[in-house]
Amino acid sequence: LRPAARRSLATAKAPPSLFAPLDTFPDRHIGPDDAEAAFMLSQLGYESMDAFVNEVVPPTVRVASTELTNEVIGPLSEIELNRRAKHLGTENKPFKSYIGMGYHNAVVPPVILRNVMENPAWYTQYTPYQPEIAQGRLESLVNFQTMVMSLTSMHIANASLLDEATAAAEGMVMAYVSTGQKKKVFFVDSAVSPQTLAVLRTRAKGFGIKLAVGDASVVLTDEALRAHLCGVLVQYPDVNGSIRDFGKLAESAHEAGALVVVATDLLALTMLKPPGEWGADIVLGNSARFGVPAGYGGPHAAFFACTEKLKRKMPGRLVGRSRDTTGQMAYRLALQTREQHIRREKATSNICTSQALLANMAAMYAVYHGPSGIKRIANKVHGLTQLLKSTVERLGFVTTSDTFFDTLTLDVTGASLDASRVHAAAAAVGVNFRWIDDRRVGVTLDESVGPIDFLRIANVFTSAVGSSSLDLEDLPGPYPPAIPEHLTRTSEFLTHPVFNKHHSETEMLRYIHHLQSKDLSLVHAMTPLGSCTMKLNSTSSMIPLTWPEFGSVHPFAPQDQVKGYTQVIKELEDDLCKITGFHACSLQPNSGAAGEYTGLSVIRAFHEARGQKHRDVCLIPVSAHGTNPASAAMAGLKVVPVKTLQDGGLDLADLKAKAEKHKNNLAAFMITYPSTFGVFEAGVQDACKIIHDNGGQVYLDGANLNAQVGLTNPAVCGGDVCHLNLHKTFAIPHGGGGPGVGPICVAEHLASFVPSHPIIATGGKNAINAVSAAPFGSASILLISWAYIKMLGGQGLKDSSQIALLNANYMAHRLAPHYNLRYKNHNGRVAHELLIDLAEFDKAAGLKVTDFAKRLQDYGFHPPTCSWPISTCMLIEPTESESLEEIERFCNAMIHIRQEAEDIITGKQPKDSNLLKNAPHPLSVITVSDAEWNRPYSRQTAVYPVSGLREKKFWPTVSRVDDTYGDLNLVCDCPSVEETAHDFS
Amino acid sequence: LRPAARRSLATAKAPPSLFAPLDTFPDRHIGPDDAEAAFMLSQLGYESMDAFVNEVVPPTVRVASTELTNEVIGPLSEIELNRRAKHLGTENKPFKSYIGMGYHNAVVPPVILRNVMENPAWYTQYTPYQPEIAQGRLESLVNFQTMVMSLTSMHIANASLLDEATAAAEGMVMAYVSTGQKKKVFFVDSAVSPQTLAVLRTRAKGFGIKLAVGDASVVLTDEALRAHLCGVLVQYPDVNGSIRDFGKLAESAHEAGALVVVATDLLALTMLKPPGEWGADIVLGNSARFGVPAGYGGPHAAFFACTEKLKRKMPGRLVGRSRDTTGQMAYRLALQTREQHIRREKATSNICTSQALLANMAAMYAVYHGPSGIKRIANKVHGLTQLLKSTVERLGFVTTSDTFFDTLTLDVTGASLDASRVHAAAAAVGVNFRWIDDRRVGVTLDESVGPIDFLRIANVFTSAVGSSSLDLEDLPGPYPPAIPEHLTRTSEFLTHPVFNKHHSETEMLRYIHHLQSKDLSLVHAMTPLGSCTMKLNSTSSMIPLTWPEFGSVHPFAPQDQVKGYTQVIKELEDDLCKITGFHACSLQPNSGAAGEYTGLSVIRAFHEARGQKHRDVCLIPVSAHGTNPASAAMAGLKVVPVKTLQDGGLDLADLKAKAEKHKNNLAAFMITYPSTFGVFEAGVQDACKIIHDNGGQVYLDGANLNAQVGLTNPAVCGGDVCHLNLHKTFAIPHGGGGPGVGPICVAEHLASFVPSHPIIATGGKNAINAVSAAPFGSASILLISWAYIKMLGGQGLKDSSQIALLNANYMAHRLAPHYNLRYKNHNGRVAHELLIDLAEFDKAAGLKVTDFAKRLQDYGFHPPTCSWPISTCMLIEPTESESLEEIERFCNAMIHIRQEAEDIITGKQPKDSNLLKNAPHPLSVITVSDAEWNRPYSRQTAVYPVSGLREKKFWPTVSRVDDTYGDLNLVCDCPSVEETAHDFS
Ligand SMILES: Cc1ncc(COP(=O)(O)O)c(C=O)c1O
Ligand SMILES: Cc1ncc(COP(=O)(O)O)c(C=O)c1O
Ligand SMILES: O=C([O-])O
């Protein structure tokens, strides 16, 4: 019955014609081949895929089979995709941008480019919730935190946020919350980046914070303002390049009981007195210039640091040091109890997916260059800016500030010009400057500027004034150092050994590979994390990403230079609309949670536009992901929970009662479909009707869209808006905890409300303010989802969802005799994931979900999602990319562990020291002497419970990590010189 | 005294000017920073680098310090290099070639491109001489062998040769040798590729084989021929595309006592009756179309298979299965005793470095596609060729054969045209066909051909005849299958499980990474293989290699399409001449050994041109690498060994005596400098003078050039010709045993003799015949050495050699108190490597070199070169890329092992079962139960002898492999279905 050992290409049909390409992507993306799919169907008792799907997805929500076919989205082969991407790349003009505003021409060290950014062992990792198999990236993220703490001189820093603008918004809310939520005014200096201001406006709205914008010095004197002030945001150096002394401001703000939030630049801080030394409470910014390509806006890692006092209020993930059961130092995510999935509607941040991969790249950049290398870069950038100043001044241009690091703002009227004249001269030589207004032009220099670049820049100005062009020997002496004496950095930075060791390429390469060797990723084994959709991240979809045609584009480059990107964006929006059944799409939100927040803000704007501003109640099932209530709260909505029934279904009666009760104020209902319990509920359309009947809008959390594609869609289900996690369903790799993209798709009546952007036109005529710093969020990785959709085509997309359902149901079928399958539909079927309940083991033998999870590590697997959405459960999602063999291997492991548990229950093995409680078993544990091996089982049973592991096994590198110890003794930087033992052995 | 824990960039000087690039390569390439270099110098008692070098390199051979400076070779920064490579790439025109002749537009599966070809964990591996830390690539090479055996239906296949032409030459010599070296005639069918014939001509000469060329059918009848016939070479399908039945020929040749050698095509063999089924003795060809880019000629892997009877005569490396000390199956290089370093002048092949990386890529291609996928590809290629035939015939063209697989030869006179007309029409649309002669044009189709490509090809012909262009619907029905019924393949192929499993990208990715995880490479630790120069293979130098601008160029493309390559080649030749002090360079030889053979052939031609054809004696020191005498023998020279002195130096008196004795017939002297004993001999110029005085030429083996660059050079030493191993000194990665490049540089009087090529003009007016299939050998990887030289610049090149000397001498200094340093110069200094003699341990305790080597594996290191050039020694070469920390770590390991040995000598540990004899200790050995752990030492002592290993250790995956067992039970394919246990656990 089991299919033959000999597999074919997944769908090894004869090609339809001589000209049909053979490198068709569905064959490679989908794990099981036709025979294996047939086998699984037969085991489940079905004769056809259709018969099976009909019992999984409720007929009422099915879309027509013509909705998603190869006629609707024609599949491209891998080569065709590559060719088309190349072509679109050439449609982006290779201008070099000196626009600044947080985006630079970063120089990516090749060893990091190839071994981190282009390396699936790094980019396919999941968020390091399982520290025993994630010590590599945890160490790297601690390097990132340490780098930020050291350069800003702050006490603590997190492991990245989405971008500088949303980080500023987090800072604002943190100031608001930390000062008691009574003082409603947040002051923003007018020289912060415009995109930061736009995102602050959006975010302030939901919290009812009042933004005041102006010259920050008024904070010193305006008593009316001071009385209501919760915080001040300043930028250092500011968006126009000027370096101001905010020391007094900080003092004065503190006297008024307000916090000082500083947006800054890591490279500048190597030369500037760091904010931590002049009173900042919160310091944030963008780390992209540390070796992360601009990518038309992202992704890159924002950083966020604060004082000791505020640390437990800090948003985002924080990696700390702790110890394992043997006392060995081990890293892990700290203060997890702060995360929004615990705080839910009381959360003031919804950040979940952040920018781990990009934080790792920036940290590696610091490791590779070290303090002296980075200082050398800063000196060069500053020196060239000094030289540019003296050069342009000789031509009659006036720069608006005598203090600067890398940015000059030129008043072109000094040279009797209009700014457009300068921009035209720049465009003529393939260069972009910052458009400020008619009078002023901004120029920001960076690490990439060589002599030819410099002359090209300088000669834009000679050409604009009609003087003869300059050569190197014509340049004047540089303008004197433009960093005020008292704002010059005197403190050391990056003194930790890790930043002072790996400076040759060989050492760096080995460091990267050493960390990599500690981390389980998709290159090793299935990572069946429920709700996370860890599917194939194909090479073909990743390749174009690091082409300079896409990597080196500034997000604020003029539209006629970015036609390639514009086309990719348009096609992706169109395809996502086809897939969701909706009318419009915004790709701006750069995480799923950001999408939720955006979608809910759109709903609020919709109500407001119809004079229903008071609608502020949001119904959310108790089973919802923690980001849902958190996002609702951030959008200014009041969360009212809706019950679930015994069988896991939504309690429609409760929904109806609550919808009617809040009829007058009902704003929205948030629902995840299929539910977070892994079941397609039949009543979804009824639920939506109840909401609509009571004046509300339906928000569909698209985290589980992988179960829907081509079979049903959010529009048919009755939704008005949904977000998608492109880093789940649409194959953007998880990167160890980001990047992500969380676009929203909306019905026609909401289309005019999707977000705008202050610099590049996006959104409709009623657009809400921006939700991300860049107009299209993490634009460069949109290529991945675009490629994924184009290569699968309509049929492949649908097949993928079907196989995802089949794999999950086959797994349920295999595990059901051994584990308590918590929920299924009336046909006995789950959706694309399954929830198993382990409560019985706790009762019988004190075995917790964690014990099963850690034991799975010993079998070489990444554990499924644990204790969510139900604390006693595991949520298992295989995706379509896993082969039958891997699925069997996982089920066999689970069944084997079930037997190990049985031995504990029956007393064959002790309850305190056993294979599960002691799991995982790293090498350090099993290589002890015989005397020390004090376990009631053998070494082999511990580490090779099934025979396949002898040939292939991924080893945890530490034993179980102690979370409590780490949280009590919070240490979030890497070991210092003193802490590091120096032996050369 | 030891430098501070805090390191800077290797040469962290302040940049000389504001415009100086900061991404300077020497900083990254060289391991020790300035402080570390100063520390090492001080430990050795020197105040400056100059003072040190003066005591290492004899003053008599030093070149002027102005010889190699940044004025001579100006350094490019990494970014500048990238930009220049991009520019040169655009100078190669993006034509698509259907020239065939063994080179196709291969489609590289992206997952293989990124995870093998672009992955340092694969490309930086060394030849798998240490099987316990190389099971991954050994398995992959067995897959390659199995693939070849299966597709050709031969009994055994090797792990690759350099290219098809040299493989044919190996086949010819094998036929000659196997039939007793009495029968001198080797018959070559006239329809073999011209480059094959050219290389056969070169090789035949040295062996005194007489080539007869003509229609192979004369072999059936010409009795005079048959009497002297040792073998016949036919091509199947032949170079013109025709498929001929050679069954009768084979029978008849066998009757005459001759062997049948067949050049063939792996893709065609999926449809054709394989040569093994119709009597072939030796089958060979090029595997590049299995997913290896054309790269203007290479590198790619030739394959070579033969019958059971011949297997112990087969050239090249062969991987076989054996078992380890625990009985576990393990792969390793088989029949090592056959290698030329044992057989020396009795060898009939000198092949050493081959094409492991490319063989792995081809094998992975077969693993990924499986038999059905490959068959699908073959069907398509053949189908399109059928269609092309009917299409062009309708236009009046005549094809010269009705049998074909993928190649048509068109007689254009049928359409009343001259061939040039067709080529002009082709060029107009960016397409190349094969230039045969005025009448005939060749077209070869491949996997990459899509509908647009096909129409472009077809419309070259419509345009040539002036008819209107065709669209898809205008095409006629295809010509009927053109493979003769009785030559159609009926047997199955690639039935082994490994070819029938990994067909999804996820499975393939995991398979690649699983194999990778078993192999130690430069991403893990120092690989201090003496004479192999395992230095950094920088990312910057590797990146351009896989750009299509360089990857997709056919070696026989017209010169005006390859200006980028031409420029790279010219610059590299020039730079190599500057570095060696010679006048001309040939980049054609694609390994060091091939370089030796080429250089000696040039010397022979030189003598011959001067009427001294009789000069045929070659003096070679006994310490020379085995390839030296083997190459000499192949070039038809008689090898006369020269003694070495007690102190390791060349015995000048013996040299003089032998030179004078053979005065009349002296052809050449081969010398390695610094010597294979790791010492710069002062008398090298005297030795050269002796040779010149006696009418001979001096061949300098450049394997050790890394010790010379910028300090001395082969010309100053007195040589006339040298080869360089670009895969040693010039940073081409070793790829697990290839690719390599072995160019020769020659003095002015030899310049006119360097090799020609039958299709692309190379070489001087007295050029010898070709030595490789492609005009510039493995052209694409020349980019690596070009980039290496350009990025280091003159000063960086010299600094690299100086640090290589310093690292080696510091190592010698640290190890000398513990080990017997066998040779040093009169100042007590070694060159860039050191030889330690372990004979005393054998005497004292039966401990062999191997025991030390295997124990080093337990410390996480790749062992140095073992038992060469002296059987009781280890030859250790750190290179300049290793940091002081890594050097200390290695020395500490060696010293620790010395102590372990002491315990055995003094009887503290038993002589039969101890840490060295039982090494290495893989996991399988230490995870046994307490009862089974029957060693007189603890597990920790076995695997964590020094503390650093707990944090970072590379694990051998099998215990010591039994060579004898494997050679006695030679099995060289991968496990079959029957041998594979199918459990899903
Ligand atoms: C159901 C659900 N909604 C929302 C999210 C949040 O997405 P993100 O992590 O991209 O912010 C998740 C993440 O796992 C999820 O599972
Ligand atoms: C001294 C010496 N000569 C020649 C060679 C042969 O070079 P290749 O392996 O490239 O053929 C080697 C290889 O190690 C060598 O060490
Ligand atoms: O928190 C989650 O990413 O599910």
Side-chain angles (χ1 to χ4, degrees), chain B residues 733-745:
Chain B
H734 281 74
V741 178
I744 58 164
C745 291

Side-chain angles (χ1 to χ4, degrees), chain A residues 126 317 350-353 531-532 591-594 596 625 627-628 672 676 701 703-704 723 725 727-728 868:
Chain A
Y126 192 67
R317 294 180 178 132
N350 65 351
I351 180 98
C352 192
T353 285
S531 199
C532 300
S591 75
E596 295 170 19
H625 193 258
T627 50
N628 289 10
T672 305
T676 56
D701 180 327
N704 290 346
H723 84 265
N725 295 61
H727 46 301
K728 296 180 178 178
W868 186 84

Side-chain angles (χ1 to χ4, degrees), chain B residues 662-875:
Chain B
H662 296 286
K663 191 181 179 71
N664 294 331
N665 297 316
L666 186 62
F669 167 51
M670 293 186 90
I671 182 173
T672 304
Y673 196 72
S675 78
T676 56
F677 293 156
V679 181
F680 280 99
E681 296 168 78
V684 61
Q685 288 163 321
D686 300 335
C688 294
K689 186 164 184 312
I690 292 169
I691 300 304
H692 289 139
D693 287 349
N694 289 288
Q697 292 279 295
V698 176
Y699 183 97
L700 202 139
D701 180 326
N704 290 346
L705 198 83
N706 208 44
Q708 295 190 26
V709 184
L711 308 174
T712 175
N713 70 38
V716 165
C717 291
D720 300 289
V721 50
C722 69
H723 84 264
L724 312 176
N725 295 63
L726 298 191
H727 46 299
K728 296 180 180 180
T729 315
F730 297 100
I732 290 177
H734 281 74
V741 178
I744 58 164
C745 291
V746 299
E748 190 161 4
H749 63 282
L750 297 177
S752 69
F753 298 91
V754 303
S756 63
H757 190 271
I759 293 157
I760 303 296
T762 69
K765 65 176 192 307
N766 301 310
I768 63 169
N769 264 309
V771 296
S772 297
F776 304 99
S778 293
S780 69
I781 55 176
L782 298 177
L783 281 161
I784 302 170
S785 296
W786 169 81
Y788 171 84
I789 292 171
K790 292 302 182 201
M791 289 193 297
L792 278 179
Q795 185 62 44
L797 286 162
K798 183 172 160 180
D799 286 345
S800 294
S801 283
Q802 294 190 145
I803 296 285
L805 298 175
L806 181 59
N807 277 351
N809 277 282
Y810 179 73
M811 245 183 191
H813 166 79
R814 286 225 46 209
L815 294 180
H818 311 279
Y819 288 96
N820 174 11
L821 184 62
R822 179 86 180 234
Y823 297 119
K824 45 197 178 206
N825 72 7
H826 63 281
N827 296 316
R829 297 295 157 222
V830 300
H832 68 309
E833 59 191 0
L834 53 142
L835 195 60
I836 60 171
D837 196 331
L838 306 173
E840 58 182 300
F841 302 101
D842 192 3
K843 270 191 223 114
L847 294 170
K848 313 276 184 198
V849 176
T850 304
D851 299 322
F852 284 80
K854 301 301 175 192
R855 183 60 180 151
L856 260 173
Q857 292 183 6
D858 282 335
Y859 285 72
F861 286 102
H862 195 292
T865 299
C866 289
S867 301
W868 186 84
I870 298 178
S871 65
T872 55
C873 291
M874 269 188 177
L875 187 63

Side-chain angles (χ1 to χ4, degrees), chain A residues 401-452:
Chain A
S401 171
D402 286 343
T403 62
F404 56 84
F405 167 62
D406 65 357
T407 295
L408 300 178
T409 297
L410 309 181
D411 187 332
V412 298
T413 56
S416 312
L417 290 176
D418 189 273
S420 62
R421 176 79 173 275
V422 176
H423 292 303
V429 293
V431 155
N432 292 319
F433 296 150
R434 179 177 166 217
W435 293 258
I436 306 178
D437 53 31
D438 291 354
R439 311 167 51 101
R440 292 177 306 160
V441 170
V443 184
T444 298
L445 302 188
D446 58 52
E447 185 185 357
S448 77
V449 177
I452 296 169

Side-chain angles (χ1 to χ4, degrees), chain A residues 155-217:
Chain A
H155 298 130
I156 198 156
N158 74 12
S160 79
L161 290 178
L162 297 172
D163 60 29
E164 181 168 325
T166 55
E170 300 282 357
M172 169 181 74
V173 174
M174 197 170 151
Y176 171 62
V177 172
S178 308
T179 54
Q181 308 201 30
K182 296 270 144 47
K183 304 202 285 174
K184 299 267 178 197
V185 179
F186 187 77
F187 194 94
V188 184
D189 184 71
S190 38
V192 306
S193 297
Q195 70 272 23
T196 299
L197 183 58
V199 171
L200 289 176
R201 286 197 198 287
T202 321
R203 192 74 62 92
K205 193 160 182 176
F207 284 94
I209 297 171
K210 296 198 180 75
L211 279 195
V213 183
D215 186 312
S217 58

